[in-house]
Amino acid sequence: MTVPVDDPTDPRLADFVDLADPVSRRRLERDELFVVEGVTAIERLLTSGHRIRSVLVTAPALARFAGRLDHLTAPVYVAPKAVLAATVGFDLHRGAVAAADRRPLRSIAEAVAGAERIAVLEGLNDPENLGAIARSARAFGIAALVLDPTCIDPYYRRTVRVSMGEVLMLPVARSADWPGDLAALARTGFDTWALTPDAAAEPLGTIPIPPRVAIVLGAEGPGLTAAALGASTRQVRIPIRADVDSLNVGHAAAVAFAAVCGITTAPPAAPPG
């Protein structure tokens, strides 16, 4: 159902106000909703199983969906570019945003049930890095993400955008007991490989790939804490030139995911329920 709007103060657009203001967005979104930006990411949202609250688009962006919004029971608001910009608080070049209801994150046991390859993230505070990791995870067949208590919101708008919406297709869990939950993964059959640039770590590519493996990644800069390194079953490094300090964590994740998954491993066929 398409609905024309021409007033940025229209209360029906409340979910999209001040998208660039983190404080305002945290107050509005809380545990209730999240926002997806861009046609490609919204197309992933459409198949993710999340309930869509509404969509706000310009007429050109609506045309790019080529009828894929026609089945929605949620309203699709169509506005001039200037109205959209005044609503969200900046010039939104992609011309499309959608709001959806949040679902509670899964428990770790639920997220990793039946999984052979997962990623565990500690202290990730950059939404673009988390988005890049989620996109690579989906591309190479990582089955789930486990976040420590300090990781940023996996459904933050920039994270979803950089992931091209792929984070919406992954089971995500957040640890409540860190690094205890990391150690618990090892007890349930996962080899937990802590990625580190430490020269003493084992080189990736020289280690047999176990039946179940968790790639453990730390924040850009500080990397993994001593507690996470100690709770992991193995410390692993990506061999790089000696005169290069390290890889960006998003790039390192992609290399590691490709190594442990192989190009024949397919991502889960069904979106998370």
Side-chain angles (χ1 to χ4, degrees):
M1 176 179 62
T2 58
V3 182
V5 291
D6 57 10
D7 181 0
T9 66
D10 190 318
R12 294 175 296 180
L13 306 184
D15 284 350
F16 305 109
V17 172
D18 292 333
L19 290 186
D21 183 341
V23 175
S24 173
R25 295 311 302 180
R26 280 195 296 270
R27 184 169 58 250
L28 174 63
E29 295 182 16
R30 301 183 186 274
D31 296 325
E32 297 177 10
L33 68 104
F34 65 95
V35 170
V36 177
E37 173 188 342
V39 172
T40 301
I42 293 172
E43 287 175 338
R44 302 306 285 150
L45 172 65
L46 293 173
T47 60
S48 71
H50 290 84
R51 192 186 79 85
I52 297 175
R53 296 160 64 99
S54 63
V55 181
L56 174 61
V57 293
T58 61
L62 179 62
R64 290 182 58 197
F65 282 103
R68 288 185 290 274
L69 300 179
D70 291 350
H71 72 284
L72 282 184
T73 56
V76 178
Y77 299 115
V78 184
K81 183 178 180 181
V83 171
L84 192 148
T87 301
V88 303
F90 60 96
D91 186 7
L92 187 68
H93 298 295
R94 293 168 181 82
V97 283
D101 286 338
R102 286 180 183 253
R103 297 184 300 212
L105 294 182
R106 300 186 184 198
S107 70
I108 294 177
E110 290 170 336
V112 307
E116 296 179 353
R117 308 284 186 266
I118 66 171
V120 181
L121 311 179
E122 181 190 50
L124 266 289
N125 51 20
D126 185 307
E128 297 193 1
N129 281 335
L130 182 51
I133 290 169
R135 187 176 180 183
S136 294
R138 278 282 294 166
F140 290 110
I142 295 294
L145 300 180
V146 176
L147 314 181
D148 89 322
T150 68
C151 276
I152 60 169
D153 177 10
Y155 299 139
Y156 182 61
R157 177 176 56 89
R158 284 173 59 199
T159 297
V160 178
R161 173 172 57 81
V162 172
S163 81
M164 300 297 284
E166 297 298 345
V167 70
L168 305 176
M169 311 300 287
L170 283 164
V172 180
R174 188 180 291 278
S175 168
D177 175 19
W178 188 261
D181 286 328
L182 178 56
L185 284 170
R187 294 194 295 271
T188 61
F190 281 96
D191 274 23
T192 51
W193 289 12
L195 254 61
T196 171
D198 190 335
E202 299 175 82
L204 185 67
T206 66
I207 313 164
I209 308 298
R212 304 183 86 191
V213 61
I215 300 296
V216 188
L217 298 148
E220 186 76 18
L224 291 168
T225 62
L229 290 168
S232 299
T233 55
R234 203 184 282 265
Q235 295 185 24
V236 178
R237 62 181 173 86
I238 297 172
I240 59 175
R241 289 173 48 136
D243 57 346
V244 176
D245 174 70
S246 61
L247 293 174
N248 167 274
V249 65
H251 298 154
V255 171
F257 296 163
V260 300
C261 292
I263 60 172
T264 60
T265 301

